Structures are given as C-alpha cells and as structure tokens.
Amino acid sequence: MTIPPAQEKGETIDQYVTDLKNKSKSCEFGDLCDSLIKDRIVCGIADVHLRERLLREPNLTLQKTVTICRASELSKSQMKDLADEQEKTVHVVKRPGTSGTGTKQYGSNSAHRGRGRGQNRDRVEKSKCTRCGYEHRNKNGPCPAKGKKCHKCQGMDHFSSMCRTKNVHTVEEDELFIGSIWNIDMVSSDWQTELFVNGHSISLKLDTGAQANVISGKIYDKVKNSYSKLQNSKSKLTTFSGEKIPVRGVVDLKCRYGNKVNVLPFMVVDIESPAVLGLKACEELNLIQRTSPYIHQVKQTNHSILQEYSEVFSGTGCLPDQHHIEIDVTVKPVVHPPRRVPVALRDKLSKELVRMESTGVIEKVDEPSDWVNSMVLVEKPNGKLRICLDPKDLNGAIKREHFPLPTSDEVSSRLSGAKFFSKLDASSGFWQIPLDEESSRLCTFNTPEGRYRFKRLPFGISSAPEVFHKTVRKILDGLDRSTLNY
C-alpha cells in the first residue's frame, strides 16, 4: 500500500478520504485497510488541534474519525460566515436630541455629503499591511508583527516575508567548525601569514580544518571602514570539544596577498583569539596547494595491493572458530509465522535468498524446528536487500558474555599523537563468524518461500556486536597499540 502525502491545504476531509481509499485498492493487509486509513488520517490531518482531539478519543474507528473531522470543518465554516457578517455591520449612533428613529451614520461629515444619501460612508476598506502581509481594517489597527523581530534583518515590528532589506549577508551553514580557541602565544609561526586587510597588515593563522574565517572584535575595530559594515549572522561557531563561540556578526573584508585580491567573509567574535583563515579562503588566495601527484601515487599503490591480496578483498570471509550461542533452557521456544512481504520486494527477496544460500550464509530447513524467528527486510541505499532476524523472543533467552565495547572517546584518546590513519571495514562482518550446528538451528527464520537457518552469525542477535568485537580483538592481539577495532 503506497502511503499518500499529508492532507493538502484547502482539501476537505471527504476529498482526503476518497484519495486514501483510491490508493488503498492495492493494499495487501485485508481487514486492516480501514484501520490503516484511520491512522493515516490522524497522522496526516492538517489541523493540529483536531489531530490532538482524535488522539484523545477512545476506541477510535474510521467512521468516527470522518464524523469528527466533518463536524470540525462545518463549525469552522460557520464561524467564518459569522465573522464575515460582523465585518459587514455598520455601527450607527443616535443624533443628539432625537429619538431612536432618527439616526446618523457615525463619522459622516460635510466632506462626504456630496456622495449621495443612503451611501455607506463609514465603511472602511481593507488594505494589505506592509508589516505583516495580512489585511487590517485600517493601517493603524492592531498588527501581529508588532513587537516581533525579523529573521532576515533582525529589525523590529515586521515579518521577514515583508522585509525590504536587500543583500543581507547570510551564511548557508548553520554550524561552522573552527577547531578550537588558541592561545595567541601558542600559535606556530610556521602556519601564519601576513595579509593586507582593508589596507592594514594583519597576521592570520592558516587552518585548513576550519570552515570559517574568524577575527576578534579588536581586529575588526582596527580594520573596519564605511564599506565594511557588520551584518547579523545566523551561523554558530563550534570548537573541537563541541563548545559554542558567541558571534557578534559577519563582515566582508578586502584581503590582499601578493597580487591576489579577494573579498572574504569573516566571523567577528568577542573573545581574544588570533585571526583565522579557513580552508576555502586559503585556496582562493593560493596559500595552500593540493598534492594531487602524491594522491595519484597512493591510488596506484592501493591497486597493486588489491591485486596481490585479491582473496582478502573479495567474497565473504569465514573465521576458523565456530561460535556457540548459549541459551536459558527454561525459556519456552517460540515459533513465528512468516510475515507478509510487499509484492514489489518479492523478486529481490528470492534473489537475495538464493545468493545467501549459494555463499553458505544460510541453508534451507525442512525438518521441525523448536525456534523459528521472524524475518526483517532492510533496503540499502543501493537498492539491495539485507535480510535480518527479528529474534525478540530468542534474545530474551540468550546468555550474553557482556564483553565491554569501547566508546568513541576511548578510541580517540588512544590515537593521540598518531600521524597517519587508515581504516579497514569488514564486509558483512557478522557473517564471517560461523555458528555450530546447535546455534544455527536457533537462528531459523520464516519466509514466504519456506524456512531457512543462518550458518553464520546473523544481524539482530543481541550478543552479535560483542561477539564480533571480541573476535576481532583476538585477531589484533599483539599488534601495535594504535591498531584498534570499533
């Protein structure tokens, strides 16, 4: 069943339900169709308050949901008509010294008498407000933008949609990384250069890891002129440790290095720190160069390694030691029926089962099984399927080893002082650990094409991550301390 989008603006509940029912004709869930449509209405209804009311309703059915939505639409329509009638009403006051039969239109004067008797002289024309964009009875009436700040120019008393400010400098990134706040005395002179910024000689630190150019407020006060006005910035500066640096604003400054002249944006901060030139600015001013020949040489070296050790980089590996899954025998085994698979995934599932069986990852099961788990399909970004177990009941019976897994902070601290880094990623890592016969039968799962059992450690087993981590650690035992597995 294809999930339709949320209710569009102006679409009635009857139109929305009709659209849902038309798209549910190919639904494979049978009696659950009305329940799924009801859930889709609750999740996709445009009115937030109406959605909250539906969620509070006990024993909510499809018919009850549609009835409540229709009643809400009808009440809103009647309220709109009532509001329109009130706007058309002309307020009148008695003429002084007369009875109730003599009335005079409020606000009429000699300047309007020539327009003809009986004409509505007090009717106020609606006009679009230049501050909020909505219509008011008069320009000086109450405005929802009063006291609000514009997100575009940071001005007051108007919305950003009605802002007249042009060419306001904004930065696309919401969060820019600049590394850390350095002590000026600790900055190495090897990575500093002199630039002429608005005619002033400024020493800047070259930081290829920074995503923004940064100067302190003191430096900005020194180089600013009438053409370099500070603009508001929505971007945030973040250090390596995750700390937020307050930003006063952003300014475009004219920078000259040799014969190269560029206008670069700088983030102005209110803390004492050296001026920083980020990666993009360093490249624009030709202060750094990419070592393309060296990269090409590394690629050639990698290619020769792939050829020399081709058996390591192809297929799915298999470790020599079999793993045994220990379970609590007092837990009663559970057999799950096969789950329904969408028609669009049937062919992919069949091909993946054949591939996994041919590579020795799974095996067809025909004899009775005490444990039969459900199957979960995960679609990868490349369109292929990953078949996993949903061993909810089996995980409750597994006796885990509780082998400690490292955190990212622990790994980073052990890599302190390292200069060169490389990463190896195991292809379908869990599948490289074989299971013994008893453990393999515990990992039997049901599919629309029959039962299969995993001969390798499957994804979904609660103890799989720690078992795999422990196995790889044994393999790496004795190597340099900078070789870690995570």
Side-chain angles (χ1 to χ4, degrees):
M1 175 180 177
T2 303
I3 298 178
Q7 184 186 25
E8 298 180 359
K9 186 176 181 180
E11 187 179 20
T12 65
I13 184 62
D14 291 329
Q15 294 172 340
Y16 187 43
V17 172
T18 301
D19 185 35
L20 289 174
K21 289 187 176 181
N22 289 337
K23 293 184 177 181
S24 66
K25 291 181 179 179
S26 59
C27 179
E28 304 172 1
F29 293 95
D31 297 337
L32 294 176
C33 182
D34 288 349
S35 178
L36 294 175
I37 293 177
K38 180 253 302 179
D39 293 341
R40 189 59 211 169
I41 293 175
V42 175
C43 296
I45 199 74
D47 191 337
V48 178
H49 299 290
L50 179 58
R51 187 186 310 150
E52 293 177 354
R53 179 185 173 186
L54 292 173
L55 291 173
R56 291 195 301 266
E57 195 72 25
N59 301 325
L60 188 64
T61 62
L62 176 59
Q63 184 62 33
K64 194 173 183 180
T65 302
V66 174
T67 302
I68 294 175
C69 292
R70 285 174 180 166
S72 177
E73 288 181 351
L74 182 60
S75 62
K76 287 184 179 180
S77 177
Q78 292 175 349
M79 289 295 294
K80 184 177 183 301
D81 294 340
L82 182 60
D84 293 340
E85 287 295 329
Q86 291 177 347
E87 289 182 358
K88 295 177 182 178
T89 303
V90 178
H91 298 280
V92 296
V93 296
K94 294 181 181 180
R95 181 182 300 173
T98 63
S99 63
T101 57
T103 60
K104 179 181 179 180
Q105 293 180 353
Y106 180 74
S108 61
N109 51 43
S110 58
H112 296 83
R113 290 173 185 170
R115 297 184 182 178
R117 184 174 299 176
Q119 195 176 23
N120 183 7
R121 302 187 182 115
D122 188 50
R123 185 173 58 89
V124 181
E125 294 291 341
K126 290 184 178 180
S127 60
K128 190 175 182 180
C129 178
T130 58
R131 295 180 297 176
C132 67
Y134 300 108
E135 293 180 348
H136 297 307
R137 283 184 170 276
N138 55 69
K139 295 183 179 180
N140 297 323
C143 177
K146 186 69 174 177
K148 300 296 190 298
K149 180 185 288 187
C150 173
H151 296 295
K152 185 176 180 182
C153 70
Q154 305 300 316
M156 298 298 294
D157 299 333
H158 67 275
F159 292 149
S160 58
S161 59
M162 303 302 293
C163 184
R164 298 181 181 180
T165 305
K166 297 182 179 180
N167 300 327
V168 177
H169 181 87
T170 58
V171 182
E172 293 181 0
E173 295 86 358
D174 290 330
E175 189 169 295
L176 301 177
F177 176 78
I178 64 165
S180 60
I181 297 300
W182 311 271
N183 188 326
I184 296 180
D185 299 330
M186 296 175 61
V187 179
S188 173
S189 59
D190 297 337
W191 287 96
Q192 280 187 311
T193 188
E194 295 289 330
L195 289 185
F196 284 94
V197 181
N198 280 0
H200 298 268
S201 178
I202 302 297
S203 178
L204 293 101
K205 171 183 169 62
L206 306 183
D207 189 351
T208 57
Q211 296 177 313
N213 309 317
V214 181
I215 59 174
S216 64
K218 183 178 180 180
I219 297 178
Y220 168 70
D221 294 335
K222 176 182 177 181
V223 303
K224 69 178 180 181
N225 54 32
S226 58
Y227 299 101
S228 54
K229 294 183 178 180
L230 193 65
Q231 302 286 345
N232 293 306
S233 174
K234 298 179 182 178
S235 299
K236 299 178 181 179
L237 294 181
T238 306
T239 66
F240 177 79
S241 58
E243 298 175 1
K244 305 296 182 182
I245 303 175
V247 179
R248 186 196 295 185
V250 64
V251 62
D252 291 331
L253 299 176
K254 184 179 180 181
C255 301
R256 180 171 64 85
Y257 180 76
N259 297 327
K260 191 74 172 177
V261 179
N262 282 65
V263 177
L264 303 175
F266 281 84
M267 311 290 286
V268 181
V269 297
D270 288 326
I271 58 177
E272 188 68 19
S273 67
V276 176
L277 209 60
L279 173 62
K280 186 176 180 181
C282 291
E283 291 180 332
E284 291 179 357
L285 294 173
N286 294 330
L287 293 169
I288 62 171
Q289 293 182 354
R290 296 180 181 270
T291 55
S292 299
Y294 177 74
I295 296 175
H296 181 67
Q297 181 180 359
V298 172
K299 288 183 178 180
Q300 289 180 340
T301 304
N302 287 343
H303 183 69
S304 62
I305 293 176
L306 293 176
Q307 289 182 334
E308 185 177 357
Y309 302 98
S310 59
E311 71 279 0
V312 179
F313 299 99
S314 61
T316 303
C318 183
L319 297 173
D321 297 332
Q322 292 184 340
H323 175 64
H324 176 71
I325 299 177
E326 189 74 25
I327 66 170
D328 185 357
V329 294
T330 61
V331 178
K332 184 178 180 181
V334 179
V335 175
H336 289 273
R339 290 177 176 174
R340 295 185 179 182
V341 177
V343 178
L345 299 179
R346 285 288 182 87
D347 292 338
K348 290 184 178 181
L349 173 61
S350 299
K351 293 179 181 179
E352 182 63 15
L353 289 173
V354 171
R355 188 192 70 83
M356 293 172 63
E357 189 173 8
S358 62
T359 56
V361 176
I362 61 175
E363 184 179 81
K364 189 78 173 179
V365 176
D366 295 322
E367 64 273 9
S369 304
D370 293 332
W371 287 92
V372 180
N373 305 280
S374 297
M375 177 189 64
V376 177
L377 296 181
V378 179
E379 193 167 6
K380 300 180 182 180
N382 58 8
K384 296 182 179 180
L385 291 182
R386 171 180 288 170
I387 297 179
C388 307
L389 287 185
D390 183 10
K392 180 179 180 181
D393 299 290
L394 179 61
N395 282 336
I398 291 178
K399 295 181 179 180
R400 295 175 53 182
E401 299 179 16
H402 297 289
F403 191 81
L405 299 177
T407 63
S408 57
D409 292 336
E410 293 174 352
V411 173
S412 300
S413 63
R414 293 186 61 184
L415 294 177
S416 176
K419 297 181 179 180
F420 303 97
F421 299 88
S422 61
K423 181 179 68 174
L424 296 178
D425 184 10
S427 177
S428 301
F430 291 177
W431 289 358
Q432 299 189 25
I433 299 179
L435 297 175
D436 58 20
E437 184 73 16
E438 182 181 352
S439 301
S440 176
R441 296 190 180 278
L442 294 175
C443 298
T444 302
F445 62 99
N446 237 330
T447 75
E449 300 185 12
R451 287 175 296 135
Y452 291 84
R453 63 183 176 96
F454 272 96
K455 299 174 66 178
R456 309 285 183 91
L457 184 64
F459 296 93
I461 296 295
S462 59
S463 60
E466 55 197 35
V467 169
F468 180 75
H469 180 80
K470 178 181 178 181
T471 303
V472 176
R473 175 169 289 188
K474 287 182 178 179
I475 296 174
L476 300 178
D477 189 26
L479 297 180
D480 190 88
R481 286 178 59 84
S482 61
T483 304
L484 307 173
N485 63 301
Y486 180 69

XYZ file of all heavy atoms in Angstrom, residues 56 77 97 110 150 174 219 239 322 341 407 409 432 435 461 481:
123
model
N -7.002 11.757 21.510
C -7.589 11.574 22.842
C -8.843 10.721 22.811
O -9.322 10.298 23.868
C -7.933 12.948 23.440
C -6.723 13.802 23.814
C -7.134 14.958 24.721
N -8.119 15.810 24.083
C -7.826 16.908 23.401
N -6.560 17.284 23.255
N -8.782 17.653 22.851
N -16.491 26.549 9.115
C -17.187 27.273 8.052
C -18.224 28.234 8.615
O -18.357 29.379 8.162
C -17.836 26.271 7.091
O -18.579 26.946 6.093
N -30.494 64.662 20.618
C -31.797 65.310 20.722
C -32.873 64.668 19.910
O -33.959 65.227 19.769
N -19.344 66.927 6.435
C -19.729 67.705 5.252
C -18.930 67.296 4.032
O -19.380 67.473 2.908
C -19.505 69.193 5.536
O -18.133 69.413 5.878
N 12.357 40.554 12.919
C 12.517 39.989 11.578
C 13.705 39.037 11.565
O 14.796 39.381 12.043
C 12.706 41.107 10.554
S 13.114 40.520 8.900
N 24.542 26.288 9.141
C 24.006 26.654 10.447
C 25.078 26.531 11.519
O 25.041 27.219 12.525
C 22.809 25.761 10.795
C 21.621 26.080 9.906
O 21.498 27.224 9.481
O 20.838 25.154 9.672
N 40.410 43.241 16.354
C 40.961 43.365 14.999
C 39.945 44.037 14.076
O 40.296 44.863 13.235
C 41.364 41.981 14.457
C 42.474 41.378 15.318
C 41.812 42.070 13.010
C 42.897 39.991 14.896
N 33.768 24.522 18.421
C 35.142 24.080 18.581
C 35.216 22.558 18.513
O 34.194 21.871 18.411
C 35.700 24.565 19.936
O 34.984 23.906 20.987
C 35.545 26.067 20.090
N 34.173 -21.713 15.390
C 32.720 -21.599 15.399
C 32.237 -20.997 16.718
O 32.829 -21.243 17.774
C 32.078 -22.975 15.198
C 32.295 -23.570 13.818
C 31.564 -24.888 13.657
O 31.201 -25.544 14.643
N 31.321 -25.284 12.413
N 5.308 -10.024 2.766
C 6.317 -9.212 2.083
C 5.635 -8.484 0.921
O 4.887 -9.099 0.156
C 7.469 -10.102 1.556
C 8.479 -9.270 0.779
C 8.133 -10.822 2.710
N 34.105 3.128 23.792
C 33.405 4.323 23.317
C 34.311 5.066 22.336
O 35.520 4.818 22.253
C 33.040 5.244 24.483
O 34.253 5.708 25.108
C 32.196 4.502 25.514
N 35.248 8.113 22.531
C 36.223 8.916 23.271
C 37.436 8.085 23.675
O 38.579 8.566 23.637
C 35.564 9.523 24.514
C 34.513 10.563 24.168
O 34.608 11.126 23.060
O 33.610 10.798 24.996
N 31.016 -13.351 8.930
C 32.319 -14.005 8.850
C 32.577 -14.906 10.063
O 33.618 -15.565 10.128
C 33.424 -12.950 8.734
C 33.302 -12.086 7.489
C 34.499 -11.192 7.255
O 35.598 -11.503 7.714
N 34.309 -10.101 6.544
N 28.614 -20.428 12.851
C 27.890 -20.954 14.006
C 27.982 -22.481 14.022
O 28.049 -23.120 12.959
C 26.417 -20.535 13.956
C 26.096 -19.041 14.023
C 24.594 -18.820 13.828
C 26.547 -18.440 15.339
N 20.903 -10.603 16.467
C 21.175 -11.298 17.717
C 21.767 -10.311 18.720
O 22.695 -9.556 18.403
C 22.139 -12.476 17.480
C 21.481 -13.519 16.571
C 22.541 -13.118 18.787
C 20.276 -14.194 17.159
N 49.694 -0.772 19.610
C 48.554 -0.265 20.377
C 47.689 0.697 19.569
O 46.537 0.924 19.918
C 49.043 0.432 21.634
C 49.546 -0.512 22.711
C 50.068 0.247 23.911
N 49.018 1.089 24.487
C 48.112 0.671 25.353
N 48.107 -0.599 25.743
N 47.222 1.503 25.845
